[in-house]
Amino acid sequence: MFEFLFKRQGGDKPAGASGDKPGSAPAVPPESAPAGQPTGAAAGAPSPREQQAEQLKHLNGDEEAAVAFILSSEFSELRLAAAELVHSRTQLERVHAAMRNLDRRVAKLMQSRLDAIRHHDAELRRGQEALAHARALLGDALLTPNHVAELDRKWAVITAPELAPEFDAVRAELGRRLEDQVQLQRAMIDRLAALRQLESSGLEPAAFAERLDALSREQAAALAAPGHASLPRALVADVATEQARLAASLATLEQDRAALAAREAALAQWQAQPVAELKAELLRKEWQRLPALPANGPGTQLQRRFDELLASLPQEPRKAEPAKPAAAPSAPKPPKVPNKGADQHFLDRLDAMEAALQQGSLGTAAELDKSLKESKDKGMRLTPAQLERLNHVRAELKRLSDWARWGGNVSREELIKQVEVLSTQNLAMGELAKKVGGMRERWKALDSLSGPAPRSLWERFDAACTTAYAPAAAHFRHLADERHANAARGQALVEEAQAEIARLESGEADWKHVSGTVQRLRTAWSHLGAIDRKDKKRLDALFSDALNTLQRPLEEQRKGEMSVREQLIEEALALDPHGRHAVDALRELQARWQEHARALPLERKAEQALWQRFRAACDALFAKRKEHAHAADAERRAHEAAKEAVSARLEAAAPDATPAAAGKLLREAAAEWAAIGPVPRAHEARVEKRYHAAVAAVQHHADLARRAAGLALAGAVRDRLRLIQALENAIVNPDAHTNPSDWRARWDALLPLEGGFEAVLHARFEAALDALEGERAAYARQLEANRERLLHELLRLEIAAGIDSGAEFARERLKLQVEVLQSSLKSGHRSGQGAGQGGGARSLHELLALPALLDARTETRIEQLLVRVAKDGR
């Protein structure tokens, strides 16, 4: 209320009142001067920015100097330019640590370069690992294409240009090795085919031996080649077998050739002798002593020539038998049966024996020879030709058996080598045992086919098998020890279960502990491992009995616990989702559930099933509450839309709001706003802010319209007041124009007034017109007399409106202010305040209704008062 007491008199401070000299610029404090503006004595020196920019130009790529410049510079763009010179890891980390919280661009640049360095180091490390792997493959005796393909896949995703030349060199060497291995394998396949075709080539023994020796030298060179470890073992074994078979065939050919030559020489010698000197029996004996003939064309031809030679010899006369005494005529002798030779069954077996020998089936031939011996021992007599044929076939069997024995020894040598290699192949223990057993079976098969082996070979073979089988034997011993240890652990589990049974029977058992013990024992028993069959059956029976003894009371207890859980589920389903304390009650049920679950865990399946039902009940309650919340949110969003519509309507009506319409509009909007429900909490502040802003906009435009109307009214009042003052001055001045009709016409030409001003000023105008036509002198005296009163009222209204009255009225203004203050204190603050607020318009009307002579200064003061009253909207 008393703000006017403390307002400054005379308005703003005049220029020069601050004590500065006229015409001088106001002093600028140093901190308010623009950045980089030279001041005082330093006006001619370069700025710090220019100095640092010059320093940046002279770095010349020096990384240490650039780092020092970055750490000392206070200009970000200069630091960024210097950061382009930093590349080493140490300096990058130093600058990044210093600029991380100071200069984001420099720190980001340093971080990107550090990341690039770390990525390059990682790629280089991976490249070095791949290169080391490649070198290891290069030094590995057993190189496979899969290894090289895996190496190529690893290198394909590595970016290490500095390692590429070295890797390419190693990779080329690996490629050459693979190509050599392929060529070596292809050459061995071709060599095997050549060996298999050699027997049917029809070569002479010398050429056959030469070709076989050349192929053997090639095979030896291949086995000594660097890539021999990559050759398939089956292929190497096939070549070795074929070499041994061809060597045996070569020996057979040489032996047959020698036999043919010996028999050819003997036959030629006998044919050159006179027939009379030859004796058939001696020739047969000599012919049998010679090496056996081969079962092919040349041998048959020689045998036929020998038979022809025997047939050409003269028959020797039979010796006369001594006379025997005559036998008694009582018993006649049986007739002598002539020698017809072997029966057909014997001849069939002899043919089968020859066929078996031609096919190389020595075992079948030996069995047939045994049956032939049994038939002959039974008294069967053979013809000389049959006997000769049988002897020839048996000689062939003996020869082939000797070669089989030699080939068997060769095969045994190869078998020993294969057994000795087993220890270097890193086979699985089961496969190793299987292979060693297979080798022993093959040795036994060789014994049955080619006869018993020499003791030295058997000792070597047995020692090699024992050495190769040693890891498997140790492995199987370890498995046996594990089975014994598992049996001991099983016995310990049984004893633990029996101890738990004893505690349960004594009444000291904790059900949670019993449940955990049963579960733990069952899990431990399932992970027990292998046990010997004789112990497993006994331990399984003991463990099953103990576990059943523990399980029965535990199941009874769990049944009661399941009923408790069922009750908790029913309570959860019975909760009202819209209740105020539903969530608290549900949390209490969940806590009780957890308490029961900790006290006695159920079987996993039952626990899961009950928990799923309880969780479904909880989820259903929360879903219903969420659905209700969604409905409430939808309602709140609808309220939000309604309130936004109110705000939009106010915003649209604000520009055209008039004082009369604004009040009605704001009252209706406030009533509608209060009737609308709450809005979402997240949008509440924004909606309220928009509404209040719209209300303020309406009020602002209404105030603007009110002020415009007030200013228009003030102008109209001022015009009529100036007309009245001119009329009153004309009354005082005898020479002035005094035609009433003219004055009235001028009055009627002015705009009408509102707010009570029309009646007040019209009354004053009519009084002046009446005085103009009547008592002018008396009215002039009244005008002069009212001058002081009008000035006093004007000063009082200026004080109330806060308008400066001028320096000449300072004393009177202060005196009047004190009087007003004293009057207000005596009458009370509230009453004074009400008088000040409600009596402003009435006092102005009284001032305007008071006729008085005014000078130009007073007229100006009254007009200022009218403008202030119009702006304030009073």
Side-chain angles (χ1 to χ4, degrees):
M1 170 183 175
F2 307 107
E3 294 87 354
F4 60 88
L5 294 176
F6 309 103
K7 288 186 178 180
R8 294 178 56 188
Q9 302 295 328
D12 296 337
K13 189 173 182 180
S18 61
D20 297 334
K21 294 182 180 180
S24 63
V28 180
E31 60 271 17
S32 65
Q37 180 179 350
T39 58
S47 64
R49 179 186 178 84
E50 294 175 351
Q51 294 176 358
Q52 293 186 15
E54 188 66 24
Q55 184 180 356
L56 177 62
K57 293 179 182 178
H58 292 84
L59 290 178
N60 294 328
D62 188 353
E63 188 178 34
E64 292 287 344
V67 171
F69 177 81
I70 293 171
L71 299 180
S72 61
S73 177
E74 65 270 15
F75 300 103
S76 60
E77 61 274 11
L78 298 181
R79 288 197 296 263
L80 184 62
E84 297 294 336
L85 304 176
V86 182
H87 297 282
S88 64
R89 178 192 288 267
T90 305
Q91 301 299 344
L92 287 171
E93 291 176 348
R94 179 183 175 190
V95 175
H96 179 264
M99 295 290 110
R100 183 168 50 193
N101 298 323
L102 180 62
D103 194 329
R104 185 176 181 180
R105 293 188 298 172
V106 175
K108 188 175 182 180
L109 178 61
M110 299 297 104
Q111 184 64 51
S112 64
R113 291 185 176 177
L114 284 172
D115 292 341
I117 291 175
R118 294 190 185 100
H119 177 72
H120 180 266
D121 291 346
E123 290 295 315
L124 189 62
R125 184 166 55 254
R126 292 172 58 194
Q128 290 173 350
E129 293 175 357
L131 187 59
H133 181 53
R135 293 197 184 97
L137 290 179
L138 194 60
D140 192 357
L142 187 59
L143 180 64
T144 64
N146 292 335
H147 294 159
V148 181
E150 182 65 24
L151 177 66
D152 291 340
R153 282 194 293 272
K154 289 182 179 179
W155 183 260
V157 296
I158 297 174
T159 55
E162 56 270 28
L163 298 178
E166 188 174 359
F167 179 82
D168 292 340
V170 178
R171 178 62 180 83
E173 183 64 25
L174 290 174
R176 284 192 294 272
R177 279 195 57 187
L178 287 178
E179 185 64 26
D180 293 343
Q181 290 179 5
V182 171
Q183 295 297 333
L184 190 64
Q185 186 171 348
R186 288 177 180 173
M188 184 163 288
I189 293 173
D190 297 339
R191 194 176 305 113
L192 178 61
L195 287 172
R196 288 174 177 172
Q197 295 174 1
L198 185 60
E199 188 175 9
S200 61
S201 61
L203 296 176
E204 291 296 327
F208 187 93
E210 184 179 356
R211 179 60 176 162
L212 179 61
D213 185 57
L215 293 175
S216 299
R217 287 196 300 273
E218 292 178 3
Q219 179 67 11
L223 294 178
H228 72 281
S230 65
L231 291 172
R233 290 191 294 272
L235 183 61
V236 175
D238 290 343
V239 173
T241 303
E242 196 66 25
Q243 284 179 328
R245 188 182 66 81
L246 290 177
S249 298
L250 178 61
T252 303
L253 288 175
E254 293 176 350
Q255 189 176 12
D256 291 345
R257 187 177 181 82
L260 289 173
R263 291 191 180 237
E264 180 70 31
L267 190 58
Q269 181 182 0
W270 293 337
Q271 289 176 347
Q273 293 179 5
V275 176
E277 297 179 1
L278 298 178
K279 294 182 178 181
E281 191 65 29
L282 293 176
L283 291 179
R284 287 191 184 98
K285 291 181 180 180
E286 289 293 335
W287 187 262
Q288 291 294 335
R289 282 196 294 269
L290 291 175
L293 288 172
N296 51 18
T300 304
Q301 293 176 4
L302 286 177
Q303 184 66 34
R304 186 172 60 254
R305 288 172 58 190
F306 178 72
D307 293 338
E308 292 174 354
L309 178 63
L310 290 179
S312 64
L313 295 180
Q315 297 293 330
E316 296 180 359
R318 295 181 178 272
K319 296 180 179 182
E321 296 181 359
K324 295 183 179 179
S330 59
K333 291 183 179 181
K336 188 174 181 180
V337 179
N339 185 13
K340 296 182 179 180
D343 57 6
Q344 187 62 36
H345 182 63
F346 185 90
L347 296 176
D348 291 341
R349 283 181 290 176
L350 184 60
D351 293 338
M353 182 175 176
E354 287 180 346
L357 288 175
Q358 290 179 1
Q359 295 175 0
S361 301
L362 297 181
T364 304
E367 292 293 331
L368 292 172
D369 182 57
K370 184 177 179 181
S371 64
L372 292 176
K373 286 180 181 179
E374 292 176 355
S375 298
K376 188 177 179 182
D377 292 341
K378 290 180 181 180
M380 181 180 295
R381 298 183 65 184
L382 303 179
T383 63
Q386 292 173 346
L387 182 61
E388 179 68 21
R389 181 183 175 192
L390 178 62
N391 292 333
H392 175 70
V393 172
R394 283 177 175 172
E396 181 68 14
L397 174 62
K398 182 178 182 303
R399 184 181 68 81
L400 293 180
S401 297
D402 293 339
W403 279 111
R405 186 175 295 106
W406 178 83
N409 291 336
V410 172
S411 299
R412 288 187 181 95
E413 290 285 351
E414 183 64 26
L415 196 61
I416 292 172
K417 292 180 181 179
Q418 293 180 13
V419 174
E420 290 174 347
V421 174
L422 286 178
S423 60
T424 64
Q425 294 180 353
N426 296 326
L427 299 174
M429 295 299 105
E431 186 178 0
L432 177 61
K434 185 176 179 181
K435 281 186 175 294
V436 172
M439 296 295 181
R440 289 189 179 275
E441 292 297 330
R442 289 174 60 185
W443 185 276
K444 292 180 181 177
L446 288 175
D447 286 345
S448 64
L449 293 176
S450 58
R455 183 172 184 81
S456 60
L457 282 179
W458 161 248
E459 290 177 353
R460 285 179 56 198
F461 176 75
D462 186 62
C465 288
T466 303
T467 303
Y469 187 72
H475 173 70
F476 294 138
R477 283 196 301 272
H478 177 67
L479 292 181
D481 295 340
E482 283 187 352
R483 288 194 294 272
H484 292 312
N486 292 337
R489 285 197 295 272
Q491 184 65 38
L493 292 177
V494 171
E495 293 174 357
E496 184 179 357
Q498 293 173 350
E500 188 66 27
I501 291 172
R503 285 194 296 272
L504 184 62
E505 292 175 350
S506 65
E508 300 177 356
D510 180 12
W511 292 113
K512 180 179 179 180
H513 182 267
V514 172
S515 175
T517 301
V518 170
Q519 183 66 28
R520 181 173 52 80
L521 290 175
R522 186 179 296 166
T523 303
W525 190 266
S526 65
H527 294 85
L528 192 58
I531 302 176
D532 289 335
R533 186 176 299 176
K534 61 181 180 180
D535 296 330
K536 184 171 179 57
K537 186 174 181 180
R538 176 182 61 84
L539 290 175
D540 282 342
L542 291 175
F543 184 77
S544 298
D545 294 341
L547 203 63
N548 291 333
T549 305
L550 284 175
Q551 196 77 16
R552 282 192 294 271
L554 182 61
E555 289 299 327
E556 294 295 331
Q557 192 69 21
R558 282 176 171 172
K559 289 180 181 178
E561 184 64 25
M562 290 178 66
S563 63
V564 174
R565 306 283 180 89
E566 292 283 354
Q567 182 63 31
L568 291 177
I569 294 173
E570 294 296 331
E571 292 182 13
L573 292 173
L575 289 176
D576 182 13
H578 306 303
R580 183 176 180 181
H581 303 290
V583 176
D584 295 336
L586 187 62
R587 289 175 179 171
E588 182 182 357
L589 289 177
Q590 290 175 344
R592 288 168 58 190
W593 184 283
Q594 295 296 331
E595 182 180 354
H596 283 281
R598 286 191 295 268
L600 178 58
L602 304 178
E603 288 287 343
R604 184 174 183 82
K605 184 181 294 185
E607 182 80 38
Q608 287 289 352
L610 290 172
W611 168 247
Q612 291 296 336
R613 291 175 55 195
F614 181 72
R615 183 177 179 180
C618 297
D619 292 343
L621 185 138
F622 282 114
K624 292 178 180 178
R625 289 181 65 86
K626 188 174 182 180
E627 182 179 357
H628 179 71
H630 282 321
D633 288 342
E635 184 179 359
R636 288 177 179 269
R637 287 192 294 271
H639 294 165
E640 179 184 3
K643 289 192 173 183
E644 292 285 358
V646 173
S647 300
R649 190 167 64 253
L650 289 177
E651 291 170 353
D656 301 329
T658 61
K664 181 181 179 182
L665 179 63
L666 291 178
R667 286 192 299 272
E668 292 176 353
E672 186 178 355
W673 185 273
I676 299 174
V679 301
R681 292 183 180 179
H683 303 164
E684 187 174 2
R686 178 181 58 80
V687 172
E688 290 285 342
K689 183 178 180 181
R690 182 182 179 185
Y691 171 71
H692 291 303
V695 170
V698 172
Q699 290 177 345
H700 174 68
H701 286 86
D703 291 341
L704 291 178
R706 186 180 297 108
R707 290 182 62 186
L711 291 176
L713 178 61
V717 170
R718 181 189 60 210
D719 293 340
R720 289 185 181 272
L721 183 60
R722 287 179 180 177
L723 180 60
I724 292 172
Q725 290 172 354
L727 178 58
E728 290 174 349
N729 288 331
I731 293 174
V732 177
N733 188 3
D735 298 331
H737 178 69
T738 59
N739 188 357
S741 60
D742 294 339
W743 292 102
R744 191 173 297 279
R746 292 172 61 185
W747 178 270
D748 294 337
L750 297 177
L751 295 175
L753 302 179
E754 297 177 356
F757 290 100
E758 180 70 27
V760 172
L761 293 179
H762 187 267
R764 182 176 173 182
F765 177 73
E766 291 296 336
L769 280 180
D770 293 342
L772 182 62
E773 296 176 354
E775 296 293 335
R776 297 178 63 179
Y779 197 78
R781 286 192 299 272
Q782 183 183 357
L783 292 174
E784 186 65 30
N786 290 338
R787 181 184 182 89
E788 292 297 331
R789 179 183 172 189
L790 184 139
L791 291 175
H792 180 76
E793 290 298 328
L794 178 59
L795 185 60
R796 186 173 63 82
L797 290 176
E798 285 176 341
I799 293 173
I803 301 175
D804 188 17
S805 302
E808 65 272 20
F809 299 102
R811 183 180 297 278
E812 289 81 0
R813 183 184 179 97
L814 180 59
K815 181 179 179 181
L816 186 58
Q817 286 175 347
V818 173
E819 290 177 357
V820 172
L821 178 60
Q822 290 176 352
S823 175
S824 298
L825 292 175
K826 288 180 180 179
S827 60
H829 179 70
R830 185 175 302 275
S831 61
Q833 184 179 5
Q837 290 179 349
R842 187 173 61 254
S843 299
L844 181 59
H845 288 172
E846 291 176 355
L847 177 67
L848 296 177
L850 184 63
L853 291 175
L854 303 177
D855 54 7
R857 172 66 176 143
T858 304
E859 291 177 358
T860 303
R861 290 170 62 191
I862 292 175
E863 291 178 0
Q864 289 179 353
L865 178 62
L866 289 174
V867 173
R868 175 59 62 87
V869 172
K871 289 182 178 180
D872 294 342
R874 296 183 181 181

